[in-house]
Coordinates of all heavy atoms in Angstrom, one line a residue:
M1 N 92.8 169.3 172.8 CA 92.5 170.1 174.0 C 93.3 171.4 174.0 O 94.5 171.3 173.6 CB 92.7 169.3 175.2 CG 92.6 170.1 176.5 SD 93.0 169.2 178.0 CE 94.7 168.8 177.8
Q2 N 92.7 172.4 174.4 CA 93.4 173.7 174.5 C 93.3 174.2 175.9 O 92.2 174.1 176.6 CB 92.7 174.7 173.5 CG 93.4 176.1 173.6 CD 92.6 177.1 172.7 OE1 91.5 176.8 172.2 NE2 93.2 178.2 172.4
I3 N 94.4 174.8 176.5 CA 94.4 175.4 177.8 C 94.4 176.9 177.6 O 95.3 177.4 176.9 CB 95.6 174.9 178.6 CG1 95.7 173.4 178.7 CG2 95.6 175.5 180.0 CD1 94.6 172.7 179.5
V4 N 93.5 177.6 178.3 CA 93.4 179.0 178.2 C 93.4 179.7 179.6 O 93.0 179.0 180.6 CB 92.2 179.5 177.4 CG1 92.3 179.0 176.0 CG2 90.9 179.1 178.1
E5 N 93.9 180.9 179.7 CA 93.8 181.6 180.9 C 92.4 182.2 181.0 O 91.9 182.7 180.0 CB 94.8 182.7 181.0 CG 94.9 183.3 182.4 CD 96.2 183.9 182.7 OE1 97.2 183.6 182.0 OE2 96.3 184.6 183.7
I6 N 91.7 182.0 182.1 CA 90.3 182.5 182.3 C 90.4 183.9 182.9 O 91.1 184.1 183.9 CB 89.5 181.6 183.2 CG1 89.4 180.2 182.5 CG2 88.1 182.2 183.4 CD1 88.7 179.2 183.4
G7 N 89.7 184.9 182.3 CA 89.6 186.2 182.7 C 88.2 186.8 182.6 O 87.3 186.0 182.3
H8 N 88.1 188.1 182.7 CA 86.8 188.7 182.6 C 86.1 188.5 181.2 O 84.9 188.4 181.2 CB 86.9 190.2 182.9 CG 87.2 190.4 184.4 ND1 86.3 190.3 185.4 CD2 88.3 190.9 185.0 CE1 86.8 190.6 186.5 NE2 88.0 190.9 186.3
T9 N 86.9 188.4 180.2 CA 86.3 188.3 178.9 C 85.8 186.9 178.5 O 84.9 186.8 177.6 CB 87.4 188.7 177.8 OG1 88.5 187.9 177.9 CG2 87.8 190.2 178.0
N10 N 86.3 185.9 179.1 CA 85.9 184.5 178.8 C 85.3 183.7 179.9 O 85.0 182.5 179.7 CB 87.0 183.8 178.0 CG 88.2 183.5 178.9 OD1 88.3 184.0 180.0 ND2 89.1 182.7 178.4
R11 N 85.2 184.2 181.1 CA 84.9 183.4 182.3 C 83.4 182.9 182.2 O 83.1 181.9 182.8 CB 85.1 184.1 183.6 CG 84.2 185.2 183.9 CD 84.5 185.8 185.2 NE 83.7 187.0 185.5 CZ 83.8 187.7 186.5 NH1 84.7 187.5 187.4 NH2 83.0 188.8 186.7
E12 N 82.6 183.6 181.5 CA 81.2 183.1 181.3 C 81.1 181.7 180.8 O 80.3 180.9 181.2 CB 80.4 184.1 180.5 CG 78.9 184.0 180.6 CD 78.2 185.1 179.8 OE1 78.2 186.2 180.3 OE2 77.7 184.8 178.8
K13 N 82.0 181.4 179.8 CA 82.1 180.1 179.2 C 82.4 179.0 180.2 O 81.9 177.8 180.1 CB 83.1 180.1 178.1 CG 83.3 178.8 177.3 CD 84.3 179.0 176.2 CE 84.2 177.8 175.3 NZ 85.0 178.1 174.0
F14 N 83.1 179.3 181.3 CA 83.5 178.3 182.3 C 82.7 178.4 183.6 O 83.0 177.6 184.5 CB 85.0 178.6 182.6 CG 85.9 178.3 181.5 CD1 86.2 179.3 180.6 CD2 86.4 177.1 181.3 CE1 87.1 179.1 179.5 CE2 87.3 176.8 180.2 CZ 87.6 177.8 179.3
Q15 N 81.7 179.2 183.7 CA 81.0 179.4 185.0 C 80.4 178.2 185.5 O 80.2 178.0 186.7 CB 80.0 180.6 184.9 CG 80.7 181.9 185.1 CD 79.7 183.0 185.1 OE1 78.7 183.0 184.3 NE2 79.9 183.9 186.0
K16 N 80.0 177.2 184.7 CA 79.3 176.0 185.2 C 80.3 175.1 185.9 O 79.9 174.2 186.6 CB 78.6 175.3 184.0 CG 79.6 174.7 183.0 CD 79.0 173.9 182.0 CE 80.1 173.3 181.1 NZ 79.6 172.2 180.3
L17 N 81.6 175.4 185.8 CA 82.6 174.5 186.3 C 83.2 174.9 187.7 O 83.9 174.2 188.3 CB 83.8 174.3 185.3 CG 83.4 173.8 184.0 CD1 84.6 173.8 183.0 CD2 82.8 172.4 184.0
F18 N 82.8 176.1 188.2 CA 83.3 176.6 189.5 C 82.4 177.7 190.0 O 81.7 178.4 189.2 CB 84.8 177.0 189.4 CG 85.0 178.2 188.5 CD1 85.2 179.5 189.1 CD2 85.2 178.1 187.2 CE1 85.5 180.6 188.3 CE2 85.4 179.2 186.4 CZ 85.6 180.4 186.9
D19 N 82.5 177.9 191.3 CA 81.7 179.0 191.9 C 82.4 180.3 191.7 O 83.6 180.5 191.8 CB 81.6 178.8 193.4 CG 80.7 177.6 193.8 OD1 79.9 177.2 193.0 OD2 81.0 177.0 194.9
E20 N 81.6 181.4 191.4 CA 82.1 182.7 191.2 C 83.0 183.2 192.3 O 84.0 183.8 192.0 CB 80.9 183.7 191.0 CG 81.3 185.0 190.5 CD 81.9 185.0 189.1 OE1 81.6 184.1 188.3 OE2 82.6 186.0 188.7
G21 N 82.6 182.9 193.5 CA 83.4 183.3 194.7 C 84.8 182.8 194.7 O 85.8 183.4 195.2
Q22 N 85.0 181.6 194.1 CA 86.4 181.0 194.1 C 87.3 181.8 193.1 O 88.4 181.9 193.4 CB 86.3 179.6 193.6 CG 85.6 178.6 194.5 CD 85.4 177.3 193.9 OE1 84.8 177.2 192.8 NE2 85.9 176.3 194.5
W23 N 86.7 182.3 192.1 CA 87.5 183.0 191.1 C 87.9 184.4 191.6 O 89.0 184.8 191.3 CB 86.7 183.2 189.8 CG 87.5 183.8 188.7 CD1 88.4 183.1 187.9 CD2 87.5 185.1 188.3 NE1 89.0 184.0 187.0 CE2 88.4 185.2 187.2 CE3 86.9 186.3 188.7 CZ2 88.7 186.4 186.5 CZ3 87.1 187.4 188.0 CH2 88.0 187.5 186.9
E24 N 87.1 185.1 192.3 CA 87.4 186.4 192.7 C 88.3 186.5 193.9 O 88.8 187.6 194.2 CB 86.0 187.1 193.1 CG 85.1 187.3 192.0 CD 85.5 188.2 190.9 OE1 86.5 189.0 191.2 OE2 85.0 188.1 189.8
A25 N 88.6 185.4 194.6 CA 89.3 185.5 195.8 C 90.8 185.8 195.7 O 91.6 185.1 195.1 CB 89.2 184.2 196.6
G26 N 91.2 187.0 196.2 CA 92.6 187.3 196.5 C 93.6 187.6 195.5 O 93.5 187.3 194.3
E27 N 94.7 188.1 196.0 CA 95.9 188.4 195.2 C 96.7 187.2 194.9 O 96.8 186.2 195.7 CB 96.8 189.4 196.1 CG 97.9 190.0 195.3 CD 98.7 191.0 196.2 OE1 98.0 191.7 196.9 OE2 99.9 191.0 196.1
G28 N 97.3 187.1 193.7 CA 98.1 186.0 193.3 C 97.3 184.8 192.8 O 97.9 183.8 192.4
I29 N 96.0 185.0 192.6 CA 95.1 184.0 192.1 C 95.2 184.0 190.6 O 95.1 185.0 189.9 CB 93.7 184.2 192.5 CG1 93.5 184.1 194.0 CG2 92.7 183.1 191.9 CD1 93.7 182.7 194.7
F30 N 95.3 182.8 190.0 CA 95.2 182.7 188.5 C 94.3 181.5 188.2 O 94.3 180.5 189.0 CB 96.5 182.7 187.7 CG 97.4 181.5 188.0 CD1 97.3 180.4 187.2 CD2 98.3 181.6 189.0 CE1 98.2 179.3 187.4 CE2 99.2 180.5 189.2 CZ 99.1 179.4 188.4
V31 N 93.6 181.5 187.1 CA 92.6 180.5 186.8 C 92.9 180.1 185.3 O 93.0 180.9 184.4 CB 91.2 181.0 186.9 CG1 90.2 179.9 186.6 CG2 90.9 181.6 188.3
L32 N 93.0 178.8 185.1 CA 93.2 178.3 183.7 C 92.0 177.3 183.4 O 91.5 176.7 184.3 CB 94.5 177.5 183.6 CG 95.8 178.2 184.0 CD1 96.9 177.3 184.0 CD2 96.0 179.3 183.0
G33 N 91.6 177.3 182.2 CA 90.5 176.4 181.8 C 90.9 175.5 180.6 O 91.8 175.9 179.8
A34 N 90.3 174.4 180.5 CA 90.5 173.5 179.4 C 89.3 173.5 178.5 O 88.2 173.5 179.0 CB 90.8 172.0 179.9
V35 N 89.6 173.5 177.2 CA 88.5 173.5 176.2 C 88.7 172.3 175.3 O 89.8 172.1 174.8 CB 88.5 174.8 175.4 CG1 87.5 174.8 174.3 CG2 88.4 176.0 176.3
W36 N 87.7 171.5 175.1 CA 87.7 170.3 174.2 C 86.7 170.6 173.1 O 85.5 170.6 173.4 CB 87.4 169.1 175.0 CG 87.5 167.8 174.3 CD1 86.7 167.3 173.4 CD2 88.6 166.8 174.5 NE1 87.2 166.1 172.9 CE2 88.4 165.8 173.6 CE3 89.7 166.8 175.4 CZ2 89.2 164.7 173.6 CZ3 90.5 165.7 175.3 CH2 90.3 164.6 174.4
E37 N 87.2 170.7 171.9 CA 86.3 171.0 170.8 C 85.3 172.0 171.0 O 84.1 171.9 170.9 CB 85.6 169.7 170.3 CG 86.6 168.6 169.8 CD 85.9 167.3 169.4 OE1 84.7 167.2 169.5 OE2 86.7 166.4 169.0
D38 N 85.7 173.2 171.5 CA 84.9 174.4 171.8 C 84.0 174.3 173.0 O 83.1 175.1 173.2 CB 84.1 174.8 170.6 CG 83.8 176.3 170.6 OD1 84.6 177.1 171.1 OD2 82.7 176.6 170.2
T39 N 84.2 173.2 173.8 CA 83.4 173.0 175.0 C 84.3 173.2 176.3 O 85.3 172.5 176.4 CB 82.7 171.7 175.1 OG1 81.9 171.5 173.9 CG2 81.9 171.5 176.3
A40 N 83.9 174.1 177.2 CA 84.7 174.2 178.4 C 84.5 172.9 179.2 O 83.4 172.5 179.5 CB 84.1 175.4 179.2
C41 N 85.6 172.3 179.6 CA 85.5 171.0 180.3 C 86.3 170.9 181.6 O 86.2 169.9 182.3 CB 85.9 169.9 179.3 SG 87.5 170.1 178.7
G42 N 87.2 171.8 181.9 CA 88.0 171.7 183.1 C 88.5 173.1 183.5 O 88.6 174.0 182.7
V43 N 88.7 173.2 184.9 CA 89.2 174.4 185.5 C 90.2 174.1 186.6 O 90.0 173.1 187.3 CB 88.0 175.2 186.1 CG1 88.5 176.4 186.9 CG2 87.1 175.7 185.0
I44 N 91.3 174.9 186.7 CA 92.2 174.8 187.8 C 92.4 176.3 188.3 O 92.5 177.2 187.5 CB 93.5 174.2 187.4 CG1 94.4 173.9 188.6 CG2 94.3 175.0 186.4 CD1 95.5 172.9 188.4
I45 N 92.2 176.4 189.6 CA 92.4 177.7 190.3 C 93.6 177.6 191.2 O 93.7 176.7 192.0 CB 91.2 178.1 191.1 CG1 89.9 178.2 190.2 CG2 91.4 179.4 191.8 CD1 88.6 178.4 190.9
C46 N 94.6 178.5 191.1 CA 95.8 178.5 191.8 C 96.1 179.8 192.5 O 95.7 180.8 192.0 CB 97.0 178.1 190.9 SG 96.8 176.5 190.1
R47 N 96.9 179.7 193.5 CA 97.4 180.9 194.2 C 98.9 180.8 194.2 O 99.5 179.9 194.7 CB 96.9 181.1 195.6 CG 97.5 182.3 196.3 CD 96.9 182.5 197.7 NE 96.7 181.3 198.5 CZ 95.5 181.1 199.1 NH1 94.5 182.0 199.1 NH2 95.3 179.9 199.7
Q48 N 99.6 181.9 193.7 CA 101.0 181.9 193.6 C 101.5 182.9 194.7 O 101.1 184.0 194.7 CB 101.5 182.3 192.2 CG 103.0 182.2 192.1 CD 103.5 182.2 190.7 OE1 102.7 182.6 189.8 NE2 104.7 181.9 190.5
E49 N 102.4 182.4 195.5 CA 103.1 183.2 196.5 C 104.6 182.9 196.5 O 105.0 181.8 196.8 CB 102.5 182.8 197.9 CG 101.0 183.1 198.1 CD 100.5 182.6 199.4 OE1 101.2 181.7 200.0 OE2 99.4 183.0 199.8
M50 N 105.3 183.9 196.1 CA 106.8 183.7 196.1 C 107.2 182.5 195.3 O 106.9 182.4 194.1 CB 107.4 183.7 197.5 CG 107.0 184.9 198.3 SD 107.9 186.4 197.9 CE 109.5 186.0 198.6
L51 N 107.8 181.5 195.9 CA 108.2 180.3 195.2 C 107.3 179.1 195.4 O 107.7 178.0 195.3 CB 109.7 180.0 195.7 CG 110.7 181.0 195.4 CD1 112.0 180.6 196.1 CD2 110.9 181.2 193.9
R52 N 106.1 179.4 195.7 CA 105.1 178.3 196.0 C 103.8 178.6 195.2 O 103.3 179.7 195.2 CB 104.8 178.2 197.5 CG 103.9 177.1 197.8 CD 103.7 177.1 199.3 NE 102.6 176.3 199.6 CZ 102.3 175.8 200.8 NH1 103.1 176.2 201.8 NH2 101.3 175.1 201.0
V53 N 103.2 177.5 194.6 CA 101.9 177.6 194.0 C 101.0 176.6 194.6 O 101.4 175.4 194.8 CB 102.0 177.3 192.5 CG1 100.7 177.3 191.8 CG2 102.9 178.3 191.8
E54 N 99.9 177.1 195.1 CA 98.9 176.2 195.7 C 97.8 175.9 194.7 O 97.2 176.9 194.1 CB 98.3 176.8 197.0 CG 99.3 177.0 198.1 CD 98.6 177.7 199.3 OE1 97.8 178.6 199.1 OE2 99.0 177.3 200.4
V55 N 97.4 174.7 194.5 CA 96.2 174.3 193.7 C 95.0 174.3 194.6 O 94.9 173.5 195.5 CB 96.4 173.0 193.0 CG1 95.1 172.6 192.2 CG2 97.6 173.0 192.1
L56 N 94.2 175.3 194.4 CA 93.0 175.5 195.3 C 91.8 174.7 194.8 O 90.9 174.3 195.6 CB 92.7 177.0 195.4 CG 93.8 177.9 195.9 CD1 93.4 179.3 195.8 CD2 94.2 177.5 197.3
W57 N 91.7 174.6 193.5 CA 90.5 173.9 192.9 C 90.9 173.3 191.6 O 91.6 173.9 190.8 CB 89.4 175.0 192.7 CG 88.2 174.5 192.0 CD1 87.8 174.7 190.7 CD2 87.1 173.9 192.6 NE1 86.6 174.2 190.4 CE2 86.1 173.6 191.6 CE3 86.8 173.4 193.9 CZ2 84.9 173.0 191.8 CZ3 85.6 172.8 194.1 CH2 84.7 172.6 193.1
L58 N 90.5 172.0 191.4 CA 90.8 171.4 190.1 C 89.5 170.6 189.8 O 89.1 169.7 190.6 CB 92.0 170.4 190.2 CG 92.3 169.5 189.0 CD1 92.5 170.4 187.8 CD2 93.5 168.7 189.3
Y59 N 88.9 170.8 188.7 CA 87.6 170.2 188.3 C 87.6 169.9 186.9 O 87.9 170.7 186.0 CB 86.4 171.0 188.7 CG 85.1 170.4 188.4 CD1 84.6 169.4 189.2 CD2 84.4 170.8 187.2 CE1 83.4 168.8 188.8 CE2 83.2 170.2 186.9 CZ 82.7 169.2 187.7 OH 81.5 168.6 187.3
V60 N 87.2 168.6 186.5 CA 86.9 168.2 185.2 C 85.5 167.7 185.1 O 85.1 166.9 185.9 CB 87.9 167.2 184.7 CG1 87.6 166.7 183.3 CG2 89.3 167.7 184.8
D61 N 84.7 168.2 184.1 CA 83.4 167.8 183.9 C 83.3 166.3 183.7 O 84.2 165.7 183.0 CB 82.8 168.5 182.6 CG 81.4 168.2 182.3 OD1 81.0 167.0 182.2 OD2 80.6 169.1 182.2
P62 N 82.4 165.6 184.4 CA 82.4 164.1 184.3 C 82.3 163.6 182.9 O 82.8 162.5 182.6 CB 81.1 163.8 185.1 CG 80.9 164.9 186.0 CD 81.4 166.1 185.3
L63 N 81.7 164.3 182.0 CA 81.6 163.8 180.6 C 83.0 163.8 179.9 O 83.1 163.2 178.8 CB 80.7 164.7 179.8 CG 79.2 164.6 180.2 CD1 78.4 165.6 179.4 CD2 78.6 163.2 180.1
F64 N 84.0 164.5 180.5 CA 85.3 164.6 179.8 C 86.4 164.0 180.6 O 87.6 164.1 180.3 CB 85.6 166.1 179.6 CG 84.7 166.7 178.6 CD1 83.5 167.3 179.0 CD2 85.0 166.7 177.2 CE1 82.7 167.9 178.0 CE2 84.2 167.3 176.3 CZ 83.0 167.9 176.7
R65 N 86.1 163.2 181.6 CA 87.1 162.6 182.5 C 87.8 161.4 181.7 O 87.3 160.9 180.8 CB 86.5 162.1 183.8 CG 86.1 163.4 184.6 CD 85.6 163.0 186.0 NE 85.2 164.3 186.7 CZ 84.4 164.3 187.7 NH1 84.0 163.2 188.2 NH2 84.1 165.5 188.2
R66 N 89.0 161.1 182.2 CA 89.8 160.0 181.6 C 90.3 160.4 180.2 O 90.5 159.5 179.4 CB 89.1 158.7 181.6 CG 88.4 158.3 182.9 CD 89.2 157.8 184.0 NE 90.0 156.7 183.6 CZ 91.2 156.4 184.2 NH1 91.5 157.0 185.3 NH2 91.9 155.4 183.8
K67 N 90.5 161.7 180.0 CA 91.1 162.1 178.7 C 92.3 162.9 178.8 O 92.8 163.5 177.9 CB 90.0 163.0 177.9 CG 88.7 162.2 177.6 CD 87.8 163.1 176.9 CE 86.5 162.5 176.6 NZ 86.5 161.4 175.6
G68 N 92.9 162.9 180.1 CA 94.1 163.7 180.3 C 94.0 165.2 180.6 O 94.9 165.9 180.5
I69 N 92.7 165.6 180.8 CA 92.5 167.0 181.0 C 93.1 167.5 182.3 O 93.8 168.6 182.3 CB 91.0 167.3 180.9 CG1 90.5 167.0 179.5 CG2 90.6 168.7 181.3 CD1 89.0 167.0 179.3
A70 N 92.9 166.9 183.4 CA 93.5 167.3 184.7 C 95.0 167.3 184.6 O 95.7 168.3 185.0 CB 93.0 166.4 185.8
A71 N 95.6 166.3 184.0 CA 97.0 166.2 183.8 C 97.5 167.4 182.9 O 98.5 168.0 183.2 CB 97.5 164.9 183.2
G72 N 96.7 167.8 181.9 CA 97.1 168.9 181.0 C 97.0 170.2 181.8 O 97.9 171.1 181.6
L73 N 96.0 170.4 182.6 CA 95.9 171.6 183.4 C 97.1 171.7 184.4 O 97.7 172.8 184.6 CB 94.6 171.6 184.2 CG 93.4 171.9 183.3 CD1 92.1 171.6 184.1 CD2 93.3 173.4 182.9
L74 N 97.4 170.6 185.1 CA 98.6 170.6 186.0 C 99.9 170.9 185.3 O 100.7 171.6 185.8 CB 98.6 169.3 186.8 CG 97.5 169.1 187.8 CD1 97.5 167.7 188.3 CD2 97.8 170.1 189.0
K75 N 100.1 170.3 184.1 CA 101.3 170.6 183.3 C 101.4 172.0 183.0 O 102.4 172.6 183.0 CB 101.2 169.7 182.1 CG 102.3 170.0 181.1 CD 103.6 169.1 181.4 CE 104.6 169.2 180.3 NZ 105.5 170.3 180.4
E76 N 100.3 172.6 182.6 CA 100.3 174.1 182.2 C 100.6 174.9 183.4 O 101.3 175.9 183.3 CB 98.9 174.5 181.7 CG 98.8 175.9 181.1 CD 99.6 176.0 179.8 OE1 99.9 175.0 179.1 OE2 100.0 177.2 179.5
V77 N 100.2 174.6 184.6 CA 100.5 175.3 185.8 C 102.0 175.2 186.1 O 102.7 176.2 186.4 CB 99.8 174.8 187.1 CG1 100.3 175.3 188.4 CG2 98.3 175.1 187.0
E78 N 102.6 174.0 185.9 CA 104.0 173.8 186.1 C 104.8 174.6 185.0 O 105.8 175.3 185.4 CB 104.4 172.3 185.9 CG 104.1 171.4 187.1 CD 104.5 170.0 186.9 OE1 104.4 169.5 185.7 OE2 104.9 169.4 187.9
D79 N 104.3 174.6 183.8 CA 105.0 175.4 182.8 C 104.9 176.9 183.1 O 105.9 177.7 182.9 CB 104.4 175.1 181.4 CG 104.8 173.7 180.9 OD1 105.6 173.0 181.5 OD2 104.1 173.3 179.9
K80 N 103.8 177.4 183.5 CA 103.6 178.8 183.8 C 104.4 179.3 185.0 O 104.7 180.4 185.1 CB 102.1 179.0 184.0 CG 101.6 180.4 184.3 CD 100.1 180.5 184.6 CE 99.7 181.8 185.0 NZ 99.8 182.9 184.0
T81 N 104.6 178.4 185.9 CA 105.3 178.8 187.2 C 106.6 178.1 187.4 O 107.0 177.7 188.5 CB 104.3 178.5 188.4 OG1 104.1 177.1 188.4 CG2 103.0 179.2 188.3
K82 N 107.4 177.9 186.3 CA 108.7 177.3 186.4 C 109.5 177.8 187.6 O 109.5 179.0 187.8 CB 109.4 177.4 185.1 CG 108.9 176.5 184.0 CD 110.0 176.2 183.1 CE 109.5 175.3 182.0 NZ 109.0 174.1 182.3
G83 N 110.2 176.9 188.3 CA 111.0 177.4 189.4 C 110.3 177.5 190.7 O 110.8 177.9 191.7
T84 N 109.0 177.1 190.8 CA 108.2 177.1 192.0 C 107.8 175.7 192.4 O 107.8 174.8 191.6 CB 107.0 178.0 191.9 OG1 106.1 177.4 190.9 CG2 107.3 179.4 191.5
M85 N 107.5 175.6 193.7 CA 107.0 174.3 194.2 C 105.5 174.3 194.0 O 104.8 175.3 194.5 CB 107.4 174.1 195.6 CG 106.8 172.8 196.2 SD 107.3 172.6 198.0 CE 106.1 173.8 198.7
V86 N 104.9 173.3 193.5 CA 103.4 173.2 193.3 C 102.9 172.3 194.4 O 103.3 171.2 194.6 CB 103.0 172.7 191.9 CG1 101.5 172.5 191.8 CG2 103.6 173.6 190.8
A87 N 101.9 172.8 195.2 CA 101.3 172.1 196.3 C 99.8 172.0 196.0 O 99.1 173.0 195.8 CB 101.5 172.8 197.6
C88 N 99.2 170.8 196.1 CA 97.8 170.6 196.0 C 97.1 170.7 197.3 O 97.6 169.9 198.2 CB 97.5 169.3 195.3 SG 98.1 169.2 193.6
I89 N 96.1 171.5 197.5 CA 95.4 171.7 198.8 C 94.1 170.9 198.7 O 93.4 171.0 197.7 CB 95.2 173.2 199.1 CG1 96.5 174.0 199.0 CG2 94.4 173.3 200.4 CD1 97.4 173.7 200.1

């Protein structure tokens, strides 16, 4: 499994996993995606404010569940935002 940052250049690959409106919303938003053997299989959308990170959306395609993808996405958020508190909404 590979975790990548989702941006304008690769978001088309992940569009089936989240609504476009969720991705565009607001300042401090970042989106990460999980890829399993070249297939987009998971997405996490977060908002970072000062010393706090809120998980706004976490989704794993049902065909890829129970493989540690959600845990991998959450771990990547922790690594990316070291020194902040992570809160799941």
Side-chain angles (χ1 to χ4, degrees):
M1 174 184 58
Q2 180 184 14
I3 306 292
V4 297
E5 191 151 348
I6 300 175
H8 290 289
T9 59
N10 65 349
R11 73 178 175 185
E12 197 172 286
K13 183 175 188 169
F14 293 90
Q15 279 184 317
K16 68 177 182 156
L17 302 176
F18 64 99
D19 293 333
E20 189 68 23
Q22 292 172 304
W23 186 80
E24 296 294 342
E27 190 175 319
I29 299 287
F30 65 91
V31 185
L32 301 174
V35 179
W36 188 284
E37 295 179 1
D38 204 38
T39 301
C41 59
V43 171
I44 191 165
I45 302 173
C46 299
R47 177 178 34 232
Q48 187 167 11
E49 299 173 339
M50 304 283 284
L51 298 176
R52 180 179 168 167
V53 176
E54 295 176 323
V55 176
L56 304 173
W57 176 260
L58 175 60
Y59 179 79
V60 176
D61 184 304
L63 297 174
F64 293 91
R65 291 184 182 162
R66 312 286 305 157
K67 296 180 184 292
I69 293 167
L73 287 165
L74 288 166
K75 173 89 171 86
E76 187 68 23
V77 169
E78 285 183 322
D79 291 348
K80 179 180 175 68
T81 62
K82 286 210 182 294
T84 60
M85 179 181 75
V86 177
C88 296
I89 304 290

